[in-house]
Structure formats: C-alpha cells, structure tokens
Amino acid sequence: MAVNLDKATVREKIARRAEQEIESGFYVNLGIGMPTMVANYIQPDKQVVLQSENGLLGIGRSPYEDEVDPDLINAGKETVTASVGASYCDSAESFGMIRGEHLDLAILGGMEVSETGNLANWMIPGKMIKGMGGAMDIVHGSKKVVIIMDHVNKYGEPKILKECSLPLTGKGVVNRIITDRAVIDVKEGGLELVEVGEGWTIDEIKDCTGAGLKVHEDLYETKQ
Amino acid sequence: MAVNLDKATVREKIARRAEQEIESGFYVNLGIGMPTMVANYIQPDKQVVLQSENGLLGIGRSPYEDEVDPDLINAGKETVTASVGASYCDSAESFGMIRGEHLDLAILGGMEVSETGNLANWMIPGKMIKGMGGAMDIVHGSKKVVIIMDHVNKYGEPKILKECSLPLTGKGVVNRIITDRAVIDVKEGGLELVEVGEGWTIDEIKDCTGAGLKVHEDLYETKQ
Amino acid sequence: MKDIYTSFQEAVRDIEDYSTIMVGGFGLVGIPENLILALVESNAKHLTVISNNCGVDDWGLGLLLQNKQIDKMIGSYVGENKEFERQVIEGELEVELVPQGTLAERIRAGGAGIPAFYTPAGVGTPIAEGKEVRTFDGKEYLLQTGLTADYSLVRAAKGDKHGNLIYNKTARNFNPMMAAAGATTIAEVEKLVEPGTLDPDHIHTPGIYVQSLIEGQQEKRIERLTLAKQA
Amino acid sequence: MKDIYTSFQEAVRDIEDYSTIMVGGFGLVGIPENLILALVESNAKHLTVISNNCGVDDWGLGLLLQNKQIDKMIGSYVGENKEFERQVIEGELEVELVPQGTLAERIRAGGAGIPAFYTPAGVGTPIAEGKEVRTFDGKEYLLQTGLTADYSLVRAAKGDKHGNLIYNKTARNFNPMMAAAGATTIAEVEKLVEPGTLDPDHIHTPGIYVQSLIEGQQEKRIERLTLAKQA
C-alpha cells in the first residue's frame, strides 16, 4: 500500500537511510541539496571525513554567528566550519582526489537512473542550463556512487528507467539508488531490489519502477 | 690564431659570457656542472631568481657550516641556501613551471648541437646510461635555451654539427650556443656566428665548426 | 621585480577588447573583487571569461555581464544569475560548460605546458560531443585540452613583492591554477608584504607566475549564510 | 582512522614479492630512510621500484639493490650507484628511464585519475620510441601514461594522525605525488602530532592519501656538502 508523507519527512527518511551507507573511516562527498542533509544524521560514533570539491577536506558543522568566515564555504556555497584535522587545497587537487578514486563514497541527487547505472541529474532540455558543476567528475571518482531521489516524479512517473530520457551526467556510474520507497542496486545483469520501504510491497515497487527488478534473496524492509 | 687556456680558465670564461645572457628580473634554470658556475658571476645589480627543478624557486648562496640543512639541496645535490623571497614546491609543480614556459632562460651543458638546434647531452651509446634527469623537460620549458660547452671535443673535433651523432635530448630546442671560442645562434635558416672570442678569427671558427655558419652583420669580439 | 600598483584602474589598464581572462573564485569566495570592479570601469568589451561561476546579478562577474562586456563564458555552473540567462537566451552570450574538475585540470594543464589529457568526466554525456574518446585499461576517457589566458585575475590573502601568494581557506579554489595559466597574472591581495616575510614552505603560488600585485580591501559578500542553531 | 605504527618492520610487513613501490626523495633528500631499511630486512623480492634516483651504494634504495630485491627500476637519474651499473650490465636489473618532469607528471596523473597526457619532453629522442606523437598547435608532443603503485613510501617533516603531511624545504620533491599515487601509502614522519595541530592551510599532502604513519629519526646523509667560503 502506498504511503503518503510530507516532503520534509520524505527527505529526512531518505537522508537517514543514506547515512547507513557511510562507514566509520570513510571519506565522503555529499552533493548539493538533499545529499548535504545526510551530514546531519551521521552517527556520532562514526569517524567520517566529508570532502567539499571547492577545496576542503573535512567539513565541520555550520558556524555560529561569531565563527562565520566568508572565505570558508562548502560546494553549495553555504558557510561552514572546518573539522579538526581538516585541510584546504586548490580545485585541481580537490578533483584529483575525486578522479583518482580516493573517496570511499559519493552521495548525489538524481533526476533519472537507468538499469545500467546511467545517471541524469544536470539538465532538462528546453530549460535554462545552469551547468553540471562537479557532478560529472564526482560520479567517476568514488569507490561507490549512491543516488538519492524520490522514486517517482511529480506526475507519479518512474525516475528509474530502462534508459534515461534526459542527457546523461555519467554512463554506468551508479552503484546504488536510495528512494523514499526502496533501495535498488545496479548489478551486472540489471537492477536488484535490496530493500523495500515500510508500507510498500515488492509488487508496488515494481509497478513504479521503469525497468526490470530482480529481488535480492535477503530482501528486507528498510529500518527507520 | 688559436688560444690555449687551462681548463678552469676556459670554464670561467664561458661562465662569464653566459652570465651576460641573464637580464635583471629573469627566472633562470642553470644545469648541473659548468652551468651552475654561472651563478657565481651574476652581477650584483641584477635581480635574478634561480630555479632548481627539485623544488626550489630562489636558490641562494652556498651555506656556511652552521647553516647547512640536509633537506635543502639544488638539482646537483649540493647543499644550498634559499634566497629572500624563495619558495619550495613539489617536483610536479616545479616541472609545470618549466614545461609551461614560465622560465626566461635555461643554461645547460652540451655534448653536441646541430644546426637545427638539436641537442645531445645525456648519453653516449656503449657507455653506461645514467639517465637524462630533468634535461629533456628543461630544453622545452624556457623562453630561451642557451648551451654552454667547449667548441671542440678532446680530439679537436667539432661539437657543433650538421646533425648530432649522439642520441638527442631535444629536437630543435637550442637558441644559442656559447663556447670558449664563439657565440652562435640557431636561426630559421641555420647557424649564425654572432661573436668571435678574443684571439680567434672568423675563419678559424668556421674551420672548427661542423656546420655552415652565416656571419651576423654586427659581429664583434667577445668582451671579457 | 613585479609591478606593484596602488590603483586598480591602472592594474587592469592594459586589458584590451577581445582578451581572454581567467578570474579566480568559487561562487563569490576568493574573487578579485576590486579588479573586477576596475574592469567594469575600463569598459573592455568582447571578453572571453574563464571562471567557475559568473557571479551574481549585482556582484562579481555579474557586473561585467550587466555591462555587456562578455562575449563568451567558459565555466561549470552559471545558475546564480538572471542576466546571464537572459543574454544566453537572446544569443548575446556564448557559453561553454565544462565539468568543474575538468575545468580545474584544463587550467592546470595550460599553466603547466600540458596541451591535452584524458579524463573520465563527461564520457557518454553531451560534453563528449565532438571530443575524442579513448579507452585505457578497458575504461573510456575524453581528450581535453589545456586552457590559457591573456590575463588572470586572482585574489590572495597575502602576497609578497616577489609575487608569492598565500590563500585563505576555501578562497584558494581556482586561483593557483589560474595564476599559472595567465600570460599576465594580476594578483589582488588583502595584505602585501616584503619578500622574506612569508615562510617559503607555505607559499601556494610561487612568484614566477605573478606579474603584478595590488593591495585592496574586499567586501567578501556571503551568498548563503548558514548558521548553527545556538545550543 | 589511520594505522599508526611504532615498528618499521611492521609498517612494511604487508609488502609482498612482485609489488610495485614508489619511494619519495631526490638524491638522498626526503627519502623514507627507515622504511627502506625495514624493507631490506623484510627481504621482499622482485620489486618494481619507482623513484627519481636509486640511492647510493650503501644508503637509500642502493641497499635494496645490494640485497637484490629490485627487478625493475623506473627513474630519471641513476648515476650515483656502482651496484646499479653492475646489475644492469649483467642483465639482473631492468631499467626504464623517464625524463624527470615526465616522471613527476606521470605520478601526479596516476594519483589524480588521469590515464594519460601529452608532453613535449622527449620528442625526437630515444624516449619517443614506441610512443604516440601528436601535434597540438604546430608543436609535437608525446603521449605518456599515469603511474600508480601498490605501495608508496614517503617521508615528511610533520604528520598528524589523520594522515596530513607537511614537508621541509626541498625534501618535498616527489613525495606529495607519490603519496597520492600509492594504493597504500606509508608515511615516515619526523614528528607525529595530534589532529588539529597543523594549520589546514599549510598541509602539503591531505590525509586522504595516507593509510599509515610512523615516527622515526633520520640520518639525513648529505651527498655533496658544499659550503660558502668563510668571509
């Protein structure tokens, strides 16, 4: 049975599930928007270093008013602080770090994901193009790329598809998709449903997914 | 008339002439061996920054005994000091500086130079190969490359040739050759004799040069 | 050895119409504010600007846009600027979008004498159109070329009179690569000091890349002030 | 988060026969002296070593040579070592000579996920044999590939327990690029400090590149002591 939750609750739910992808000791890049929220839910016992592609390895919490430094922002252009043991670098080094696969995990937003792990998340033809920013580099640069997004668009249509209809950000780059309804892995042979959200059935997930889904043998419901 | 000078005097003579290539404000790379000696003759009124490809921009004088830092050497592995306003960098940055043509001048030693500006200065077939070090990069990296060497080898044979017989360090890279007997420029149409050393005639220089020489219209004798 | 200016107008005086200019900064952080203001005043037109972003409507490179000085913009994210959108739609402004890491690397390559390199970013995307795709070790990569500029305008926290620069925190971003990739690099520094004042191990941009310097004070506008909730 | 060792033997324990190892330093400056000594003791054989030089007969990588642990050496200048010469002539040791700037850039590329790039160095020389030559803007360049290693052994002046490293003067040289290009990077530091002690703007190698650290004291042998004449 479908579940109706307000938007903020949905976003928090997705962010909390995404947090479970982060292991202690990981270096992680969180994309702009909902992925940035994931930082708020990182368990305090995990030692995690967040990278910001504008040249900060070790993003700290938001600053108190008297701590604000206009020279210190994250890739979303929000004021931040640096964590203990952080370091700054230039953008070439920062993306060398990304492209060289030194990050353990990247969590990014998505518009569409295909069954072969193609990702579209940067432009809609006919709309003004704002630019891809660092997304096209980041999808190639992490040991694991996790996309977090709503399972369907505002018209109720699937965002997980056989083929993306939008221009790609990267080809064959996604490892896992986390939505408000399910967790799906991109495998050699196609998509695999690994978790079903509370209140949803396997068949309902299949119905709102635009590509074939194998069901993982140890499928379990998402714990909140 | 040929001139006989002891080796040290010849080297000093060449080094002093090479120093005249350096203008105030220049960034200069001096090769290992005789080129390094050029630093000793730089006029005190010239502001010159010497680059060492192992990561020092601003080589200073040799250290006094109590100034020696084993972590501070030049590319010839000699202990040095850093000049006021110097900076250190890694080898990739250092060669980026070189390759990106940020240096005004490189003065290097040579075994053979051809009339098209080819340089051979790193290996003699049949002898143990020690490696090219930074020479193959440096010859491509400066706005002007000056080779300093004896005009002839120990058998009295020309080292300036139509074609190099030794394996090349770089192709078409030399701008000027300074020897104990002459200064010769590499031009589009071939070699051009621009200075004749004291005690030498133009014909004598032509005789000991293995390639055709045009004579520069303002030819004058080297001032010592 | 370097030109030390006291007037920003003078610092940018030689920048002519049709120049290619790199401008440091990420968002509004680390931008050479006063050099940009002077460039607006200079009214140099038909510029090609290489910068990660294009400012906001009323600050940074947005001011050059308002004044219609830019013919072409090369950047990775230009979404903060309505005038930008208008000029693109009207066909007044040409845009080349480059993935941010590729942009950083192309500028680094330009300054370091690397004419081209391969990168995975953009394979299979619209960015790959017209570009060579080549496989190394079973993975596809795009050929990308180095970028250089006639002028680079950068901002640093400290600079000495030999041109050595030190940046503050994330204001470093694209500035060091641009300093190296400009035929003429003009550095706006918050504090200009005598040579020998800065620790040679702390220099981010070696002086060889910088042709002139000028000290100035910045507004340092904040785009998205985000504060922690007071406990 | 990082492995902090107190025994150099333990630090190199996992390095197996047939590993590819990058070793920082230029001449004897900036070499990880104690890690090399431990590697000699470990007796790991058939190593491929990537380093600008190969030590001298009785110090640095020369000790690995003496102990016949190296199958192949990739470097730019190997002329300070008689045993090296003997092994090459006897066919015991394979050598790949790479121009120094190309070596530095290949290692940087390896760490930065760039599979290949073009460089002018070596065009028209024996280095170009078997390599693609390509013309950009009328000038010829060689295609060179990135280099990575199973292990990188580097030395820094200071390191913190998050793996951030700061180098001293010209002891920096190849160490930062190698730190990034090693699948596992082991840092020998002169002084190990707590996170937060080092200024984030002064870090040369961000901790992400470093997997383990060990503090040790170095002899810092000088190859060519050159002194100023006392006035």
Side-chain angles (χ1 to χ4, degrees):
Chain A
M1 217 203 74
V3 182
N4 274 314
L5 296 169
D6 68 90
K7 203 164 170 175
T9 312
V10 168
R11 286 165 67 91
E12 180 179 332
K13 185 179 150 177
I14 295 176
R16 283 189 187 277
R17 175 56 190 84
E19 187 276 337
Q20 295 175 31
E21 301 295 313
I22 300 175
E23 294 176 26
S24 191
F26 267 21
Y27 289 90
V28 182
N29 184 293
L30 300 175
I32 294 163
M34 184 162 57
T36 300
M37 281 177 52
V38 175
N40 303 332
Y41 304 105
I42 296 175
Q43 300 298 315
D45 58 325
K46 290 183 186 172
Q47 286 200 306
V48 178
V49 179
L50 301 177
Q51 195 242 23
S52 194
E53 63 266 27
N54 56 320
L56 168 57
L57 184 68
I59 309 174
R61 57 164 172 74
S62 300
Y64 293 115
E65 202 145 4
D66 59 350
E67 290 176 324
V68 169
D69 184 335
D71 285 342
L72 180 45
I73 61 168
N74 65 16
K77 291 160 193 155
E78 299 165 331
T79 47
V80 293
T81 59
S83 64
V84 171
S87 63
Y88 301 105
C89 63
D90 64 46
S91 301
E93 179 79 47
S94 176
F95 280 95
M97 215 177 265
I98 289 169
R99 209 189 298 105
E101 296 187 15
H102 298 281
L103 296 174
D104 298 290
L105 175 67
I107 301 178
L108 303 171
M111 295 173 180
E112 294 177 349
V113 179
S114 84
E115 63 180 0
T116 57
N118 295 351
L119 171 68
N121 75 348
W122 75 287
M123 72 174 278
I124 298 171
K127 284 210 181 178
M128 179 62 195
I129 302 168
K130 294 182 175 228
M132 69 295 284
M136 284 192 186
D137 305 275
I138 294 169
V139 292
H140 285 282
S142 299
K143 297 187 185 86
K144 187 171 184 180
V145 174
V146 172
I147 302 302
I148 60 177
M149 61 181 190
D150 292 331
H151 205 96
V152 297
N153 67 20
K154 56 182 170 181
Y155 308 107
E157 297 161 348
K159 299 175 65 168
I160 301 169
L161 303 163
K162 277 199 163 321
E163 286 291 342
C164 294
S165 65
L166 298 172
L168 296 188
T169 305
K171 198 176 76 173
V173 294
V174 178
N175 301 108
R176 172 165 282 192
I177 310 157
I178 296 175
T179 76
D180 51 322
R181 301 182 184 181
V183 177
I184 294 170
D185 281 352
V186 181
K187 297 280 190 176
E188 281 290 298
L191 299 176
E192 189 171 86
L193 183 63
V194 291
E195 293 176 31
V196 170
E198 213 181 315
W200 295 89
T201 69
I202 291 175
D203 283 342
E204 283 170 340
I205 300 299
K206 283 185 173 175
D207 283 349
C208 63
T209 302
L213 279 184
K214 286 187 296 184
V215 178
H216 190 274
E217 51 188 11
D218 299 328
L219 179 79
Y220 57 95
E221 288 201 353
T222 304
K223 293 172 200 74
Q224 297 302 327
Chain B
M1 214 204 76
V3 182
N4 273 312
L5 296 168
D6 68 89
K7 202 163 171 176
T9 311
V10 169
R11 287 165 66 91
E12 181 180 330
K13 184 179 149 176
I14 295 176
R16 281 187 188 278
R17 175 57 191 81
E19 188 276 336
Q20 296 175 29
E21 301 295 314
I22 301 175
E23 295 175 25
S24 190
F26 267 20
Y27 289 90
V28 182
N29 182 292
L30 301 174
I32 295 164
M34 184 160 59
T36 300
M37 281 177 53
V38 174
N40 302 332
Y41 304 106
I42 296 175
Q43 299 298 315
D45 58 326
K46 291 183 187 171
Q47 286 200 306
V48 178
V49 178
L50 301 176
Q51 194 241 26
S52 195
E53 63 265 28
N54 56 319
L56 168 56
L57 184 67
I59 309 175
R61 58 166 172 70
S62 300
Y64 294 115
E65 203 146 5
D66 60 352
E67 290 175 323
V68 170
D69 184 335
D71 284 342
L72 180 45
I73 60 168
N74 65 16
K77 289 159 195 156
E78 298 164 331
T79 48
V80 291
T81 59
S83 64
V84 172
S87 65
Y88 301 105
C89 64
D90 64 44
S91 300
E93 178 79 48
S94 176
F95 278 97
M97 214 176 266
I98 290 169
R99 209 189 299 103
E101 297 189 12
H102 299 281
L103 296 174
D104 298 289
L105 177 66
I107 300 177
L108 303 172
M111 295 172 180
E112 294 177 350
V113 179
S114 84
E115 62 181 0
T116 58
N118 294 351
L119 170 68
N121 76 349
W122 74 286
M123 71 172 279
I124 299 173
K127 282 207 181 178
M128 178 61 194
I129 302 169
K130 293 180 174 227
M132 70 294 284
M136 284 190 185
D137 305 275
I138 295 170
V139 293
H140 286 281
S142 300
K143 297 188 184 86
K144 187 171 184 181
V145 173
V146 172
I147 300 303
I148 60 177
M149 61 181 190
D150 293 331
H151 205 96
V152 297
N153 68 18
K154 59 183 170 181
Y155 306 108
E157 297 161 348
K159 297 175 67 167
I160 302 169
L161 303 163
K162 276 198 162 321
E163 286 290 342
C164 294
S165 64
L166 298 171
L168 296 187
T169 305
K171 198 176 78 172
V173 293
V174 178
N175 301 108
R176 173 166 279 193
I177 311 157
I178 296 174
T179 76
D180 51 322
R181 300 181 185 179
V183 177
I184 293 169
D185 280 353
V186 181
K187 297 282 188 172
E188 281 289 298
L191 300 175
E192 187 172 85
L193 184 62
V194 291
E195 293 176 31
V196 170
E198 214 183 314
W200 295 90
T201 67
I202 291 175
D203 283 343
E204 282 170 342
I205 300 298
K206 286 185 169 174
D207 283 350
C208 64
T209 303
L213 278 184
K214 286 187 296 185
V215 177
H216 190 275
E217 50 188 12
D218 298 326
L219 179 79
Y220 58 95
E221 288 204 353
T222 306
K223 295 174 198 77
Q224 297 300 325
Chain C
M1 279 187 318
K2 307 295 177 183
D3 293 322
I4 309 292
Y5 291 106
T6 51
S7 145
F8 282 95
Q9 284 73 16
E10 243 181 85
V12 302
R13 195 181 42 188
D14 294 338
I15 301 181
E16 296 179 338
D17 292 357
Y18 298 98
S19 296
T20 295
I21 302 178
M22 289 183 181
V23 183
F26 179 95
L28 298 179
V29 172
I31 62 171
E33 299 182 8
N34 295 294
L35 288 171
I36 294 171
L37 288 170
L39 194 57
V40 172
E41 215 177 299
S42 84
N43 212 21
K45 299 273 187 193
H46 304 295
L47 303 175
T48 294
V49 174
I50 302 171
S51 188
N52 189 56
N53 314 94
C54 200
V56 293
D57 275 316
D58 64 344
W59 195 238
L61 291 175
L63 299 172
L64 284 177
L65 277 178
Q66 297 284 3
N67 201 30
K68 301 195 169 58
Q69 293 175 265
I70 306 180
D71 276 4
K72 182 177 179 182
M73 177 72 206
I74 301 175
S76 90
Y77 190 80
V78 292
E80 314 289 2
N81 197 311
K82 286 197 171 47
E83 172 65 12
F84 189 95
E85 188 164 342
R86 194 199 61 73
Q87 291 188 15
V88 171
I89 289 166
E90 305 282 330
E92 297 169 18
L93 177 64
E94 188 188 343
V95 188
E96 181 182 337
L97 289 171
V98 182
Q100 194 174 133
T102 301
L103 182 64
E105 191 65 16
R106 288 182 69 188
I107 297 167
R108 183 204 174 259
I114 304 285
F117 61 91
Y118 291 92
T119 175
V123 170
T125 79
I127 296 306
E129 275 163 35
K131 292 212 166 54
E132 179 190 314
V133 178
R134 187 158 172 170
T135 302
F136 294 93
D137 261 340
K139 189 173 167 183
E140 288 181 327
Y141 297 85
L142 292 187
L143 183 69
Q144 292 277 4
T145 54
L147 284 172
T148 55
D150 300 315
Y151 292 89
S152 283
L153 311 184
V154 302
R155 198 193 86 208
K158 293 179 200 164
D160 72 22
K161 291 178 178 170
H162 284 192
N164 295 303
L165 304 179
I166 291 177
Y167 306 95
N168 185 44
K169 301 191 174 76
T170 56
R172 197 184 317 179
N173 55 63
F174 283 83
N175 282 300
M177 292 81 75
M178 288 182 173
T184 297
T185 291
I186 309 170
E188 172 177 341
V189 300
E190 296 173 43
K191 196 160 175 44
L192 184 66
V193 299
E194 292 300 319
T197 313
L198 307 175
D199 185 328
D201 271 328
H202 297 167
I203 304 297
H204 297 132
T205 288
I208 191 170
Y209 298 131
V210 176
Q211 278 66 49
S212 60
L213 298 99
I214 178 164
E215 192 179 85
Q217 210 184 333
Q218 293 76 32
E219 287 190 22
K220 297 195 181 179
R221 292 195 191 174
I222 293 174
E223 272 184 273
R224 297 200 183 133
L225 182 66
T226 306
L227 297 173
K229 290 177 191 101
Q230 295 288 345
Chain D
M1 281 189 318
K2 307 297 178 183
D3 293 322
I4 309 291
Y5 291 106
T6 50
S7 144
F8 283 94
Q9 284 75 17
E10 244 181 84
V12 302
R13 196 180 43 188
D14 294 337
I15 301 180
E16 294 180 337
D17 293 357
Y18 298 98
S19 296
T20 294
I21 302 177
M22 289 182 180
V23 183
F26 179 95
L28 299 180
V29 172
I31 63 172
E33 298 182 8
N34 294 294
L35 287 172
I36 293 171
L37 287 169
L39 194 57
V40 171
E41 215 176 298
S42 84
N43 212 23
K45 300 274 189 191
H46 305 294
L47 303 174
T48 293
V49 174
I50 301 171
S51 188
N52 188 56
N53 314 96
C54 200
V56 294
D57 275 315
D58 64 343
W59 194 238
L61 291 175
L63 299 172
L64 284 178
L65 278 177
Q66 297 283 2
N67 201 29
K68 300 195 168 58
Q69 292 174 265
I70 307 180
D71 276 5
K72 181 177 179 181
M73 177 73 207
I74 300 175
S76 91
Y77 191 79
V78 292
E80 315 288 2
N81 197 310
K82 284 196 172 50
E83 175 63 13
F84 190 95
E85 185 164 344
R86 192 198 63 72
Q87 291 188 14
V88 172
I89 290 167
E90 305 282 330
E92 296 169 19
L93 177 63
E94 188 188 344
V95 188
E96 181 182 338
L97 288 171
V98 181
Q100 196 174 132
T102 302
L103 183 63
E105 192 65 16
R106 289 181 69 187
I107 296 166
R108 182 203 175 261
I114 304 285
F117 61 91
Y118 292 91
T119 175
V123 170
T125 79
I127 296 305
E129 275 164 34
K131 293 213 166 52
E132 179 190 314
V133 179
R134 187 158 173 170
T135 302
F136 294 93
D137 260 340
K139 189 174 166 184
E140 289 181 325
Y141 297 85
L142 292 187
L143 183 69
Q144 292 278 4
T145 54
L147 284 171
T148 55
D150 300 314
Y151 292 90
S152 283
L153 311 184
V154 302
R155 198 194 84 207
K158 293 178 201 164
D160 73 20
K161 290 175 180 172
H162 284 191
N164 295 305
L165 304 179
I166 291 178
Y167 306 94
N168 184 44
K169 302 191 172 77
T170 56
R172 196 182 320 179
N173 55 63
F174 283 82
N175 283 299
M177 292 81 73
M178 288 181 172
T184 298
T185 291
I186 310 169
E188 172 177 342
V189 300
E190 297 172 41
K191 194 157 176 49
L192 184 66
V193 300
E194 291 302 319
T197 313
L198 307 176
D199 184 330
D201 271 328
H202 297 168
I203 305 296
H204 297 132
T205 288
I208 192 171
Y209 298 132
V210 176
Q211 278 66 47
S212 60
L213 298 99
I214 179 165
E215 191 178 86
Q217 210 186 332
Q218 292 76 32
E219 287 189 21
K220 296 196 181 180
R221 292 194 191 174
I222 293 174
E223 272 184 273
R224 295 195 187 136
L225 182 66
T226 305
L227 295 174
K229 288 177 192 101
Q230 295 290 345

